[in-house]
Amino acid sequence: MSDKDFGQYQNVGRRLIRRDAVERLTGHTTYTEDIRLPGMLHGVLVQSPVAAGRIRGIDVDRAAALDGVVKVLTAKDVTDRRYGNYVKDQPIFARDRVRFVGEPVAMVAATSLAVARRAAGMVEIDIEATTPVVDLREALTSAEVLVHDRDTNVIEDVHISRGDVDAVFATAHAVVHTEIESHRAHQAYLEPRAVTAVPAPGGFSLLMSTQQPFGVRAQLAELFDLPTGAIEVRVPAVGGGFGGKLHLLFAPQAAAMTLATSRPVQIVCSRAEDMVTGNPRENSIVRMSSAVDESGRILARRCDVVLDAGAYAMDTPILTSMAAFYATGPYRIDALDVRGRAVYTNTCPTGSFRGPSGPQMVYAAEAQIEDIAQRLGLDPAEVRRRNFIGEGDRGPTGELITLRGTTDECMRVVESRLRQWRQADVPRDDHRRRGYGLACAWWSTLGTPSAATVELHEDGTATLSSGGTEIGTGAISTALPSMVAEELGLRPDRVVLKSGGTRDAPYDSGSRGSRTMFATGNATVLAARAVAEQIRNEASRLLGVDPADLVLREGRVEVEGAPETGMTIADVSASAHMRSGPVVATGRYRAELAPVEGSDLRGARFLRLGEPTFHCHGVEIALDEETGRVDVLNFIAVHDVGRVVNPVGARGQVEGGVVQGIGYALTENLRTNDRGVIVNGNFHDYRLPTIADVPPHIETLFIETNHSHTGPFGAKGLGEPPVILPAAAIGSALRDLLGVQPYHLPLDADRVVLTMAERDARPTPGQPPSTTRPPEPEVER
Amino acid sequence: MTTHMTLRVNGSDHDITVAPDTLLLDALRYECGLTGAKLGCGTGDCGACTVTVDGEAVNSCLVYALECEGHAVETVEGATAGGIGALVAEEFVKADAVQCGFCSPGIIMSTCALLARTEPGAATDEDIKEALAGNLCRCTGYLPILEAVRRASGAPR
């Protein structure tokens, strides 16, 4: 690593003002629903009213005859190929069977939205309803009620075996068991899902609110048996994604209708359609046991994670591996027996939501730490400290940790803040009780592929072409151009960004997995460095100086250490264009996979986590014991994400993530009844935090002394971690306040009141059971 | 069944054709070509469609266009073109109070309505929270928005 990697920069690490802010604030930014094309049809889906059933017939005649209706499609009109990110199980329209309430069965396209809606209501679906399986535990064990034509509802089964777990459990000082259950939460981006398909020669184009246009293109090419290049995916501004826009969404339906009508077709979901058709954070059951010694050192862990996939697999297969990998928390545990399973149910398909599987795995691992501490009579922070993973240790799959572990540094800051809060005076008229808690976690940064092209023009300005997708974080719109500016010694406003789809830029694997700044950033920096080298070579010829002695700074190519020498970059670029050719380069990046050792992995979708990041959150809550209402009074978030490229944007990621995490913990709960119907699929009954609900201050701190060896300028990923800790921190604060840990999420008023009632009904106070429900019989393993 | 009407938006008269059940939001977006107001929920819960009618913030997804004949409608495009709205937008930029931006036009309009009825510097945090409690934002966590509105409220007008 050169000194420059840890040095001071002109742009990186400085406060960057969003380039696209004014346009967004003044209503001039174009989102997918803002674009209406000539001759465009409006598509409306006809959705299944039942959770399970056999389709006896679909009568579209009345709908098709309505004035203004151009076409009605059902399964018989489209390919029978299935789609899905990992398991191809989803049909464009339900064929023979329906599997969840809201599943698309048919689609109407009409010249106006009103007509399309009316016609959709006139499509008559004759379904013989069958018994659905809605409950996760029932689906896990049932061999009778099966969601798909398979002999089990289990679609994914991942094992990690490491060390001799049985032997350690047999001889350990104590074994502590923790079991939690978690709920569903919706991404609830403000822009509902939207797509417009447009006919194009040999294929079609899409205008789509998506987080990964290249993934959409690849899957649609396969689904419709078209060459990849015959499909173009353009991404207008995305009004939030949070993992909810990683899938094909309704692109297959829109594309099928465009292919059938040769006209542009737009599908804009209503909020209700959006919330019942996909893909909330999955509900889950996490059972965790640790074998510990007297000091609280965790010698071995067993963990059994069951995720509810809903009716189709979507991302759940890979989330199952992630959930299994995060079963250790940020702790070194040398003997592991972890099993992760995903299970089909007749409910709305679940999928990625910012930090997928994170909130419940952190909740389980941190509740387990506190259960261990309670059993052994130790301070939970001390138990954490004795187990933190760090440099030289091996992670859950046997990967070597090559970065310093900084969870302890993060936690020390939080502990000191919690002490201050405990000492502060409570207003006399405030009868609410206070609770203080913290949670620790690690997470990793996805290093999936990216390419970027940088071209330096004759006038000394540059264009960055990135396939990366701006979803609102500013990482693409603002941070990437500043990285190019840094490498080329230009002012950021001399770098023009071209991005937003598959047409103008090479491949990028999407805005997800906290990867954009890291992986898309790496590709961008590699391209910029190659361009800088071309410029140095050209300047070397012009100046007769060794290229190694030349630097690019402030718009000039200068001899290192001799400012004002050399030439302007514009002159060098113009010369290169005439003498050796255009100044352009493409950077390509894929994180190297470090070898794993000592773990036996079965059924895993990937082999190791990416470069780790370390985190601790602390919270002060107030509980109204009469109503069960919990308010967050103070919050501190401490993160080690390596170099912070843009402090303003980073703070925005943390605060936004923390508030989403608070919503997940306290108020958000997408509920499905026993008939598989989502009962609160709207913004009135599904309670997102409002400005009146957030704490007055969220303190955001970064540990900036542990830069990544592989990230651009030492950066790692930040997008997901802030959302995965708040529930565990609030759970810890409730435990502090109530004397018992709630083992069910969310921690809403009902749960808090129930937890208090269960505590008070316990026969022998002072001997808390480790779960609030009787232990289930172990499922066969 | 459609009817002609004149809708006064951002100080200009628009002669448009609407049905009795055409929403103000749809009239603005598709008849007047002003797409700044967004459809986020259609039930008045998210505030992305907020515009002002005679200075008061309303959810344009809950108001019929015909109800607005003879009243002055302002959208984010008009409000931020100058005056206090431009100042509000500037403070939002400085505070980094915009991420995906889908909620931003509605939040700007709720802010403009608040500032129109309060003296400079008079809006308390409680006033701001009350004025913006009907505007959901899923990205920022609201604190930069609160900061931006405080600053805009305190600025001389």
Side-chain angles (χ1 to χ4, degrees):
Chain A
M1 204 177 319
S2 76
D3 289 345
K4 196 186 174 191
D5 287 333
F6 283 166
Q8 285 300 309
Y9 299 101
Q10 292 301 310
N11 308 302
V12 168
R14 306 272 172 102
R15 180 188 165 87
L16 306 172
I17 295 292
R18 285 279 300 249
R19 292 178 160 212
D20 49 351
V22 171
E23 197 177 276
R24 285 174 194 257
L25 284 160
T26 55
H28 293 99
T29 296
T30 303
Y31 299 80
T32 302
E33 70 169 26
D34 297 334
I35 303 168
R36 293 199 158 180
L37 300 169
M40 188 181 89
L41 303 175
H42 297 265
V44 170
L45 300 162
V46 182
Q47 299 173 284
S48 172
V50 298
R54 304 205 168 272
I55 300 173
R56 284 192 290 233
I58 304 172
D59 186 349
V60 305
D61 290 352
R62 275 183 64 222
L66 195 66
D67 195 26
V69 170
V70 173
K71 190 86 183 173
V72 184
L73 292 180
T74 67
K76 70 175 172 53
D77 304 308
V78 298
T79 174
D80 190 26
R81 275 187 290 268
R82 308 290 165 117
Y83 62 92
N85 280 0
Y86 299 93
V87 176
K88 296 193 188 316
D89 59 357
Q90 197 158 3
I92 299 175
F93 299 109
R95 186 178 293 266
D96 305 326
R97 289 176 71 177
V98 290
R99 296 185 172 86
F100 70 97
V101 175
E103 177 165 15
V105 175
M107 176 181 176
V108 174
T111 50
S112 85
L113 186 56
V115 169
R117 287 222 173 102
R118 199 175 328 139
M122 293 162 68
V123 172
E124 288 165 33
I125 322 170
D126 181 10
I127 299 179
E128 178 195 349
T130 56
T131 308
V133 58
V134 173
D135 179 72
L136 176 57
R137 287 167 196 274
E138 191 188 327
L140 176 64
T141 51
S142 180
E144 289 81 47
V145 190
L146 297 166
V147 178
H148 289 263
D149 298 326
R150 308 163 76 253
D151 57 6
T152 168
N153 288 315
V154 176
I155 47 164
E156 187 81 1
D157 198 343
V158 182
H159 289 258
I160 306 172
S161 301
R162 182 169 175 77
D164 192 347
V165 172
D166 290 342
V168 178
F169 266 73
T171 57
H173 171 71
V175 171
V176 179
H177 183 70
T178 303
E179 176 174 338
I180 71 135
E181 275 192 45
S182 73
H183 60 303
R184 292 188 174 192
H186 201 274
Q187 293 84 354
Y189 31 71
L190 263 286
E191 178 207 24
R193 285 173 279 168
V195 58
T196 305
V198 186
F204 53 85
S205 299
L206 296 178
L207 298 162
M208 184 174 176
S209 182
T210 173
Q211 295 173 239
Q212 56 163 353
F214 291 88
V216 167
R217 182 177 70 167
Q219 285 196 57
L220 290 177
E222 195 178 342
L223 183 64
F224 290 102
D225 195 21
L226 290 167
T228 299
I231 299 171
E232 183 198 323
V233 182
R234 271 183 280 164
V235 189
V238 175
F242 314 114
K245 293 175 181 169
L246 282 172
H247 305 274
L248 289 184
L249 312 176
F250 296 119
Q253 290 81 4
M257 189 59 88
T258 281
L259 291 172
T261 61
S262 301
R263 290 173 70 167
V265 178
Q266 181 173 77
I267 300 177
V268 175
C269 286
S270 70
R271 182 56 60 179
E273 287 168 333
D274 191 286
M275 291 188 82
V276 304
T277 47
N279 46 299
R281 191 185 293 288
E282 67 291 329
N283 53 304
S284 66
I285 302 165
V286 186
R287 300 188 188 106
M288 195 178 273
S289 299
S290 294
V292 295
D293 69 14
E294 289 130 327
S295 74
R297 178 82 188 96
I298 304 167
L299 306 174
R301 174 166 291 175
R302 289 199 174 105
C303 184
D304 185 14
V305 186
V306 184
L307 305 177
D308 187 341
Y312 294 101
M314 292 190 134
D315 280 341
T316 310
I318 201 151
L319 305 194
T320 312
S321 291
M322 287 178 66
F325 288 6
Y326 283 114
T328 61
Y331 307 108
R332 195 197 98 204
I333 306 175
D334 293 334
L336 284 175
D337 175 10
V338 180
R339 184 179 195 187
R341 278 173 293 179
V343 180
Y344 283 130
T345 56
N346 287 115
T347 63
C348 157
T350 61
S352 293
F353 183 166
R354 192 176 189 176
S357 84
Q360 68 263 45
M361 295 312 295
V362 174
Y363 196 91
E366 293 299 279
Q368 167 100 114
I369 287 283
E370 303 217 6
D371 285 344
I372 292 168
Q374 182 169 338
R375 170 76 74 85
L376 301 179
L378 298 171
D379 172 13
E382 199 48 47
V383 174
R384 289 186 174 92
R385 205 163 270 132
R386 285 174 188 160
N387 289 285
F388 281 135
I389 196 163
E391 191 171 0
D393 294 337
R394 288 193 178 268
T397 72
E399 73 274 29
L400 188 66
I401 308 301
T402 56
L403 275 176
R404 199 172 87 242
T406 56
T407 325
D408 193 22
E409 281 176 59
C410 297
M411 187 174 74
R412 283 179 195 279
V413 179
V414 171
E415 283 181 291
S416 120
R417 199 66 78 249
L418 292 184
R419 277 194 295 274
Q420 287 172 14
W421 293 341
R422 277 184 196 275
Q423 285 160 9
D425 292 331
V426 176
R428 205 167 268 223
D429 58 348
D430 189 344
H431 64 283
R432 297 171 303 171
R433 292 183 57 205
R434 300 296 195 266
Y436 304 85
L438 65 80
C440 295
W442 71 338
W443 198 250
S444 81
T445 306
L446 199 62
T448 52
S450 182
T453 299
V454 172
E455 181 166 14
L456 188 70
H457 306 294
E458 303 94 308
D459 63 353
T461 66
T463 296
L464 163 64
S465 302
S466 171
T469 302
E470 175 60 62
I471 58 170
T473 67
I476 301 288
S477 71
T478 304
L480 292 189
S482 77
M483 289 183 183
V484 173
E486 192 72 56
E487 291 293 337
L488 299 184
L490 302 175
R491 287 201 323 264
D493 64 0
R494 307 283 279 174
V495 182
V496 173
L497 172 70
K498 269 171 50 178
S499 73
T502 60
R503 181 173 54 179
D504 299 322
Y507 182 91
D508 180 85
S509 48
S511 288
R512 62 198 175 102
S514 304
R515 67 173 288 284
T516 309
M517 189 77 85
F518 177 83
T520 309
N522 265 335
T524 300
V525 167
L526 287 168
R529 285 185 183 163
V531 162
E533 189 182 340
Q534 291 171 21
I535 284 294
R536 274 196 301 272
N537 287 339
E538 182 69 20
S540 167
R541 285 202 252 173
L542 295 171
L543 298 168
V545 178
D546 189 322
D549 295 333
L550 293 170
V551 292
L552 280 61
R553 59 184 294 273
E554 293 182 15
R556 300 182 64 81
V557 187
E558 296 173 349
V559 178
E560 184 149 27
E564 301 302 312
T565 57
M567 310 169 62
T568 66
I569 285 175
D571 286 345
V572 179
S573 178
S575 166
H577 275 78
M578 299 310 296
R579 270 173 40 140
S580 53
V583 185
V584 59
T586 297
R588 48 198 295 268
Y589 178 75
R590 170 71 175 88
E592 272 182 50
L593 295 178
V596 295
E597 192 181 290
S599 285
D600 178 22
L601 299 180
R602 277 162 293 153
R605 295 268 169 181
F606 57 108
L607 290 181
R608 52 153 289 165
L609 298 169
E611 201 152 44
T613 53
F614 305 97
H615 320 277
C616 183
H617 283 189
V619 66
E620 177 184 20
I621 60 168
L623 168 68
D624 183 328
E625 287 187 295
E626 283 181 19
T627 62
R629 183 189 164 97
V630 172
D631 283 298
V632 175
L633 303 181
N634 268 306
F635 206 101
I636 179 168
V638 186
H639 296 273
D640 167 10
V641 292
R643 163 87 61 188
V644 174
V645 174
N646 175 13
V648 186
R651 196 199 70 191
Q653 286 303 295
V654 172
E655 290 184 1
V658 164
V659 169
Q660 277 184 4
I662 292 173
Y664 172 82
L666 296 179
T667 60
E668 295 180 38
N669 185 7
L670 192 68
R671 289 183 288 120
T672 307
N673 71 13
D674 59 6
R675 287 175 292 118
V677 178
I678 291 173
V679 298
N680 59 345
N682 60 69
F683 276 175
H684 191 73
D685 300 309
Y686 183 85
R687 302 301 290 177
L688 297 172
T690 74
I691 196 169
D693 300 317
V694 297
H697 184 56
I698 295 170
E699 185 180 358
T700 300
L701 292 172
F702 295 101
I703 303 282
E704 279 214 75
T705 56
N706 198 28
H707 293 155
S708 162
H709 303 311
T710 60
F713 307 99
K716 298 180 278 185
L718 172 61
E720 296 167 297
V723 84
I724 68 174
L725 294 102
I730 292 169
S732 165
L734 274 169
R735 183 184 188 122
D736 174 53
L737 198 159
L738 300 174
V740 290
Q741 174 93 35
Y743 292 97
H744 285 56
L745 292 162
L747 309 171
D748 56 13
D750 288 352
R751 174 59 49 197
V752 171
V753 169
L754 196 63
T755 303
M756 288 191 286
E758 284 171 349
R759 175 198 62 189
D760 297 340
R762 259 204 328 263
T764 52
Q767 293 292 314
S770 64
T771 63
T772 53
R773 57 182 298 142
E776 296 281 319
E778 276 291 306
V779 180
E780 51 90 25
R781 40 188 308 153
Chain B
M1 193 181 67
T2 57
T3 175
H4 296 285
M5 71 171 287
T6 301
L7 191 63
R8 189 159 183 80
V9 187
N10 300 333
S12 305
D13 284 336
H14 294 252
D15 294 318
I16 59 173
T17 305
V18 296
D21 62 352
T22 298
L23 298 168
L24 174 59
L25 176 64
D26 289 334
L28 292 171
R29 288 174 57 80
Y30 305 119
E31 298 300 322
C32 305
L34 296 164
T35 55
K38 304 296 180 196
L39 178 63
C41 69
T43 52
D45 291 301
C46 78
C49 65
T50 306
V51 300
T52 59
V53 178
D54 298 336
E56 273 194 54
V58 301
N59 287 314
S60 63
C61 75
L62 297 181
V63 179
Y64 293 120
L66 279 172
E67 293 179 82
C68 299
E69 187 143 38
H71 297 277
V73 178
E74 190 156 50
T75 71
V76 71
E77 291 95 336
T80 56
I84 187 70
L87 181 95
V88 170
E90 200 181 307
E91 292 298 345
F92 271 64
V93 174
K94 285 192 211 156
D96 205 50
V98 54
Q99 287 189 30
C100 87
F102 200 79
C103 71
S104 304
I107 290 181
I108 296 279
M109 293 313 293
S110 289
T111 303
C112 287
L114 170 72
L115 299 191
R117 63 176 184 262
T118 50
E119 294 298 312
T124 64
D125 277 10
E126 287 315 305
D127 295 335
I128 297 169
K129 286 181 179 182
E130 193 180 327
L132 297 187
N135 291 92
L136 296 174
C137 168
R138 192 56 157 166
C139 298
T140 66
Y142 300 107
L143 297 179
I145 293 171
L146 188 61
E147 178 63 22
V149 179
R150 275 189 204 124
R151 287 176 176 277
S153 163
R157 295 172 215 162

